[in-house]
Amino acid sequence: MGQRNKSDLLDARMLSQMIVTARKDQIKVPIINKQGEEIKELIKYYQLISKQKTQNKNHLESIVAKDGSSIVSKSLNQEIKLLKKKEKDILTAIKQLISKDPELHQAFLNIQSIKGVGEISAIVLLYHFIKYPDANQKQIVSLAGLDPIKRNSGTSINGKARISKAGSKLCRGVLFMAVLSAINFNEELKTFYERLKENGKHSTVAQIAVMRKMIIISHSLYKNNKVYEPEKYLEYT
């Protein structure tokens, strides 16, 4: 107990060196953008409303299944209807906010041109890119917590690779939902996903790989003011 193995010591030494040698231009600090922060707050509120709606739906289903109180059922239906309206109103507010800036609005449309990326996903990705305007593709993946790391400490010799999850949980969440759509409706990403599966990758690993591709492509469209062109997809695979 209390002893460190060689891998742990090397990790500690490397981290120490990184702290000492990291240059100012290597550190990506989020930009405080008033418009971006307002978008973020609206997204969080949207998520809260959506969670409440899901909880109410689940409760309603359990009430109906056991032929429970009609009063409770009626009340839940009314609440669900109200929450749906709130969701719609929040989305409208976010899109109106984005539309005030022509460049931002075009970037929003460009990101949505990827099949599988809906309005919510595009909004979250747009916020992520606004927050880190100087990040390159590798950094933007890392800032979403999708960068692969290998566990090689303690008793593990050949640790399994996993994602760091050190970045934006919000970004990972919407990308995961987008992936479920993309691997069904986006031919290029579907092919990429199926190829990984054929090569023995677990479904989760393959999905994470597609998530990385989606954020890289989205970031490229954002940076270059381009729409998604399937014939150019190989540039990013």
Side-chain angles (χ1 to χ4, degrees), residues 172-236:
R172 289 195 304 277
V174 299
L175 278 172
F176 179 73
M177 297 307 295
V179 160
L180 298 181
S181 174
I183 59 178
N184 285 299
F185 302 108
N186 185 306
E187 288 302 319
E188 296 75 41
L189 293 175
K190 181 180 180 181
T191 299
F192 176 64
Y193 173 77
E194 290 176 346
R195 185 167 71 241
L196 290 172
K197 291 275 289 176
E198 288 169 3
N199 290 336
K201 297 296 183 183
H202 188 275
S203 297
T204 303
V205 174
Q207 287 169 356
I208 290 170
V210 177
M211 287 166 69
R212 288 195 198 102
K213 294 299 178 189
M214 290 184 80
I215 194 170
I216 288 172
I217 295 170
S218 298
H219 188 246
S220 178
L221 300 181
Y222 169 78
K223 283 283 191 179
N224 299 305
N225 190 24
K226 300 288 185 181
V227 296
Y228 179 63
E229 298 179 66
E231 62 271 18
K232 293 184 179 180
Y233 175 74
L234 290 177
E235 295 177 17
Y236 308 100

Side-chain angles (χ1 to χ4, degrees), residues 9 19 61 72 114 165 169 201 214 217 223 235:
L9 291 171
I19 293 169
E61 287 176 4
V72 175
I114 304 171
K165 295 186 179 181
K169 184 178 179 181
K201 297 296 183 183
M214 290 184 80
I217 295 170
K223 283 283 191 179
E235 295 177 17

Side-chain angles (χ1 to χ4, degrees), residues 22-60:
R23 299 193 310 270
K24 187 176 180 180
D25 62 347
Q26 291 177 315
I27 302 170
K28 294 301 169 188
V29 179
I31 301 298
I32 305 301
N33 178 291
K34 186 177 179 180
Q35 190 176 25
E37 288 304 306
E38 189 171 355
I39 290 172
K40 180 184 177 182
E41 290 306 316
L42 285 167
I43 292 168
K44 285 186 174 181
Y45 185 44
Y46 180 90
Q47 286 187 309
L48 176 64
I49 296 301
S50 295
K51 185 177 180 180
Q52 290 174 348
K53 185 187 72 176
T54 300
Q55 289 173 339
N56 284 352
K57 280 186 173 182
N58 291 339
H59 192 185
L60 178 61

